[in-house]
Amino acid sequence: MSGVSIIAVFHQIRNWGARYFPDYLESTHLKRSREIYKKKDIEAVPASIPAETQRVALKQVFAAEFYTPAHAARLFGAFEKLGWSSPDTSPFRMDAAERVTRSRRRFDAMWLNLGTIVPPGTKRVFRDATVCDLPKGFVAAHANFFSISPSLSCIVVAFDANTETEERFDNIARSPLGTKLTRIKRGFSIARPRNVKQQAIGDARQSNRNDILSWFKTYLPGAFSTSESLELLPTCELMFTDGLRACDDRTSNGLWREYLGLDYGLGGWDSSDMNGLTFVHPVSSQDRDQGHSLLYIERSALKRIENSTYGGDSDQAYINRLSTDLPGFIGYWGIGALLRLYQEEISVVRDAGSSSVQSGDASGAVKRLQRVTSNSIDISLLASELPDALRNVHWTGCDFFRKSGDEPPTSLVAASSQWSTELLERLGTSDRAIRDLLVQQGNLINSLEAIASQRTMSRLTFAMTLLTVAIFILTAVMAVPVVYP
């Protein structure tokens, strides 16, 4: 038998086996592949572990939620639920709900400290702390209210990580995770240890964000939590690092940049107020159009800062210092994510519009029109208020800059303001166009339904006429006398 014939027979037998014994062949192939990469993992795993002198600690996660006229009732309901609607139970013995009401009745940019939130049974002592459950992995939270305009309010909550959450990213990076083989249609997908760890850190981030979004939905529901848009929820991780900037080993240093996304895209923005503090967005290719960001600073840079006013040389003292300006900045930066949320809402309605016309679904068109009308109220108000509000923000004294060549440094606050203003203009134009389109579609559907109703009535009239004639004939026949022979 020739070589070609032997090969053909071999492939025929293999295809026959794959058809009738797929599980056996798959397990055999998987076992063989694992054996091939087992030896390589011995060398690959150490290469995926950062240097011992490099450490990363996740200290806090900031999250911003926004409240437009559509969410005002939920905002005040949340204040009552958390005890912020009475001077006896509000932080610092003030009527927080009444001050928020005043801020929404007139344009008055305002910052309000809503105090600390702790879980039931906590042993830490905080002044006038609110007691309620917190997301898994966090031991306390600090809430700040910001009045951006009469129609737009923002609450930024900083969640303090417990020891396990603080060390999670570092532990994943130092774990012995090896090559991962995933079964796909035509074989296996092979992920190196570095990719496996990067994915594991991404999953841990996703878990934290999911829990935070669920917490807002339960206690402080607003624009993002009611729409359940995890991708756009503005979040920012605050990390203290050791040895990342001082290390000259680009290979070792590149591991953390890859795991955390520290230099993805255009890189970071440097703080103008605290030397060494860097803001990074996006933090991965998947987060390009999402609301997730990262702040990190070396502990060696923190130690060079005079911090006696905030408690001296300790992680908590540095967090106290950063907490004065960072919440306001996160709220300001999150406005862009809010506008993207409206943009997605408009896109969903736009893309679903044609199906209602094709199916003649009048109720669906009406629901979409109601949804757009509700968003239109917010968009119209924000379009008239936000441009001035963005130029006259008084509750954030924090900014970040990026220098490119010989050009003057670019301000992140100014760039965010310009981008938000441009997006707001496009939103207004799209919103008006889609409202007009939905009205036209509604009229068309009503016309189609009217025509269909007329046709139905015509058929019913014809049927009733035939029935009447039949009854008349039967009546006439029955009226003829019967003559017996």
Side-chain angles (χ1 to χ4, degrees):
M1 184 179 291
S2 66
V4 176
S5 301
I6 293 174
I7 294 174
V9 171
F10 171 78
H11 282 294
Q12 186 175 357
I13 294 174
R14 187 177 183 277
N15 293 335
W16 179 83
R19 180 178 179 182
Y20 293 100
F21 303 100
D23 295 337
Y24 171 77
L25 288 180
E26 179 177 333
S27 61
T28 304
H29 190 179
L30 181 61
K31 182 178 179 181
R32 186 180 305 160
S33 300
R34 284 175 176 167
E35 288 176 352
I36 292 173
Y37 286 97
K38 185 176 181 181
K39 184 177 180 180
K40 293 184 179 181
D41 280 352
I42 298 175
E43 300 176 355
V45 170
S48 69
I49 297 178
E52 190 62 32
T53 55
Q54 296 179 328
R55 293 286 172 177
V56 167
L58 175 63
K59 305 303 294 187
Q60 285 185 323
V61 177
F62 293 88
E65 180 62 288
F66 290 84
Y67 305 88
T68 67
H71 313 98
R74 294 188 182 95
L75 175 63
F76 291 108
F79 270 47
E80 185 173 353
K81 182 177 182 178
L82 293 171
W84 295 343
S85 57
S86 168
D88 297 331
T89 54
S90 285
F92 315 113
R93 297 295 183 264
M94 64 179 177
D95 190 339
E98 193 274 332
R99 294 187 63 177
V100 171
T101 301
R102 281 205 314 267
S103 74
R104 293 184 67 88
R105 288 177 179 170
R106 63 178 186 271
F107 178 65
D108 184 17
M110 180 188 74
W111 166 73
L112 186 63
N113 185 358
L114 296 175
T116 302
I117 304 171
V118 296
T122 185
K123 297 181 180 180
R124 297 177 64 184
V125 178
F126 294 96
R127 178 184 174 186
D128 298 326
T130 300
V131 179
C132 73
D133 293 329
L134 288 176
K136 181 181 178 181
F138 299 95
V139 294
H142 313 275
N144 292 269
F145 174 88
F146 301 99
S147 175
I148 302 172
S149 76
S151 302
L152 184 61
S153 303
C154 173
I155 292 181
V156 178
V157 180
F159 297 91
D160 294 341
N162 63 14
T163 303
E164 180 183 354
T165 301
E166 179 179 333
E167 299 175 351
R168 183 175 300 166
F169 296 168
D170 202 277
N171 290 337
I172 291 173
R174 300 181 192 285
S175 64
L177 293 175
T179 299
K180 182 178 180 181
L181 300 177
T182 305
R183 178 67 171 155
I184 58 177
K185 187 175 182 180
R186 293 180 176 269
F188 294 90
S189 171
I190 303 172
R192 299 179 304 161
R194 290 172 65 155
N195 300 121
V196 173
K197 293 181 180 182
Q198 184 182 32
Q199 182 61 48
I201 290 176
D203 293 342
R205 283 174 157 169
Q206 187 86 347
S207 176
N208 290 339
R209 295 164 184 164
N210 270 317
D211 293 341
I212 288 173
L213 184 67
S214 298
W215 184 86
F216 271 103
K217 186 174 182 178
T218 302
Y219 294 101
L220 287 167
F224 291 98
S225 50
T226 53
S227 69
E228 299 186 358
S229 178
L230 176 65
E231 293 78 13
L232 292 176
L233 175 70
T235 63
C236 183
E237 300 166 340
L238 174 62
M239 294 184 183
F240 289 173
T241 63
D242 293 295
L244 265 65
R245 294 184 185 273
C247 181
D248 295 328
D249 184 356
R250 296 293 296 176
T251 302
S252 178
N253 210 2
L255 287 177
W256 277 120
R257 291 198 303 272
E258 181 178 346
Y259 292 159
L260 301 177
L262 299 183
D263 61 354
Y264 178 78
L266 298 177
W269 300 71
D270 296 323
S271 171
S272 59
D273 304 306
M274 183 173 289
N275 188 29
L277 181 64
T278 301
F279 178 83
V280 179
H281 173 79
V283 294
S284 73
S285 57
Q286 290 78 20
D287 291 343
R288 179 187 296 274
D289 297 319
Q290 299 180 7
H292 309 312
S293 58
L294 167 65
L295 279 161
Y296 74 103
I297 187 171
E298 288 275 317
R299 282 197 175 90
S300 57
L302 290 171
K303 293 180 180 297
R304 291 193 293 267
I305 299 172
E306 170 54 42
N307 201 46
S308 57
T309 304
Y310 296 93
D313 181 20
S314 69
D315 284 3
Q316 186 56 53
Y318 296 130
I319 289 175
N320 292 340
R321 181 188 182 98
L322 291 167
S323 66
T324 58
D325 292 323
L326 284 183
F329 167 76
I330 298 300
Y332 188 96
W333 173 78
I335 293 174
L338 175 67
L339 299 179
R340 289 200 299 274
L341 179 65
Y342 282 108
Q343 188 178 41
E344 286 205 354
E345 291 278 334
I346 287 177
S347 300
V348 169
V349 175
R350 178 201 62 204
D351 295 339
S354 60
S355 61
S356 62
V357 176
Q358 296 171 2
S359 62
D361 181 12
S363 61
V366 170
K367 289 179 180 178
R368 276 184 282 275
L369 183 58
Q370 290 174 339
R371 183 175 176 182
V372 170
T373 303
S374 175
N375 287 339
S376 294
I377 296 173
D378 290 345
I379 292 173
S380 299
L381 291 171
L382 294 180
S384 63
E385 297 174 358
L386 264 187
D388 289 336
L390 291 172
R391 287 192 297 267
N392 301 299
V393 173
H394 303 294
W395 34 261
T396 177
C398 184
D399 198 359
F400 294 81
F401 290 84
R402 173 186 291 156
K403 185 162 179 62
S404 177
D406 297 330
E407 298 180 0
T410 302
S411 163
L412 179 56
V413 168
S416 298
S417 176
Q418 180 180 355
W419 189 85
S420 296
T421 303
E422 293 173 355
L423 180 55
L424 196 59
E425 293 175 356
R426 294 199 298 268
L427 275 176
T429 303
S430 300
D431 177 65
R432 290 189 294 271
I434 289 177
R435 272 187 295 166
D436 293 341
L437 178 62
L438 284 177
V439 170
Q440 293 173 6
Q441 290 178 347
N443 293 335
L444 177 59
I445 291 173
N446 287 334
S447 300
L448 293 175
E449 287 193 338
I451 293 173
S453 299
Q454 290 176 358
R455 290 176 178 173
T456 303
M457 290 300 297
S458 298
R459 294 190 186 98
L460 288 175
T461 302
F462 180 74
M464 290 297 294
T465 302
L466 291 178
L467 182 61
T468 302
V469 172
I471 293 173
F472 176 77
I473 293 173
L474 289 173
T475 303
V477 171
M478 293 177 64
V480 176
V482 178
V483 180
Y484 293 95

